[in-house]
Amino acid sequence: MVGAIALVLFLVIVPPLVMDLEPKSINTTLQVEIPPQSSAPLPLPNLPAKPVPEESTDPAKALSEPGPSPATTESDAKRVDAETKRAEAILNQEGTYIVALATLSKKENVRQLQSKLTQIGIKSYTEPVKTATGDQTRVRAGPFSSKEAAEKARSKLQQMGYKPGAVSAK
């Protein structure tokens, strides 16, 4: 009987002591710092400056030159309508090809990208897009008269560090 009592006491005392060995928690004070958002434009890859010959009859050239910045929402709406009409006019041309390049929310980034494209001799135009996160601008390379010309421009963009989309007919 004494052996049975000793065994029960052993089972009641020892297993809870062994199983109750939880690691001790270490008290630490965490400090999280969130840096302020920068309004600086996104950096674009450095591209070599190469003069582009002036073409006064090129309809896409007018699209690649940034217009004056709007001062009011009414003038902004008119500018968006004008951009949309110009993009539609380009896309309605028979046998034209384009290369999707980027969708950007900041107008300054759009202007910088179009400036870089002009420097390397690639025509571009923009399309305004309304999204759930706000107004954005699509930048397209083109229009090109042949698929080969569009593929050549796409390869050039890839070599310059961009990630262009596929060539598409419009």
Side-chain angles (χ1 to χ4, degrees):
M1 186 77 171
V2 174
I5 294 174
L7 182 62
V8 170
L9 284 175
F10 177 79
L11 291 176
V12 170
I13 296 173
V14 173
L17 285 176
V18 172
M19 296 173 116
D20 197 31
L21 297 175
E22 293 182 18
K24 303 267 183 190
S25 62
I26 301 171
N27 293 334
T28 60
T29 305
L30 294 177
Q31 293 181 355
V32 178
E33 286 187 37
I34 300 174
Q37 288 185 345
S38 172
S39 62
L42 295 173
L44 296 173
N46 289 331
L47 302 175
K50 188 162 112 180
V52 178
E54 290 291 325
E55 294 182 28
S56 60
T57 60
D58 187 9
K61 177 131 174 85
L63 293 178
S64 67
E65 296 175 358
S69 60
T72 64
T73 56
E74 183 177 319
S75 64
D76 189 36
K78 288 179 183 177
R79 184 186 51 77
V80 168
D81 288 342
E83 284 180 10
T84 303
K85 288 177 184 175
R86 280 183 274 184
E88 287 173 359
I90 287 173
L91 295 177
N92 288 333
Q93 295 175 359
E94 289 288 322
T96 59
Y97 295 87
I98 63 164
V99 178
L101 196 54
T103 303
L104 305 168
S105 59
K106 293 184 180 179
K107 299 295 180 195
E108 180 60 30
N109 291 344
V110 171
R111 283 190 284 275
Q112 284 183 358
L113 178 57
Q114 284 193 300
S115 173
K116 297 284 185 179
L117 292 173
T118 301
Q119 288 176 358
I120 62 171
I122 296 178
K123 300 180 287 186
S124 66
Y125 68 95
T126 61
E127 295 176 322
V129 179
K130 293 189 186 284
T131 65
T133 59
D135 292 343
Q136 300 210 354
T137 304
R138 287 184 184 147
V139 179
R140 307 282 192 212
F144 300 99
S145 58
S146 68
K147 187 170 184 175
E148 292 78 24
E151 288 290 348
K152 184 178 177 183
R154 184 176 185 275
S155 295
K156 191 173 188 179
L157 289 167
Q158 285 177 327
Q159 290 172 356
M160 301 306 288
Y162 293 105
K163 296 179 182 174
V167 171
S168 59
K170 290 294 178 175

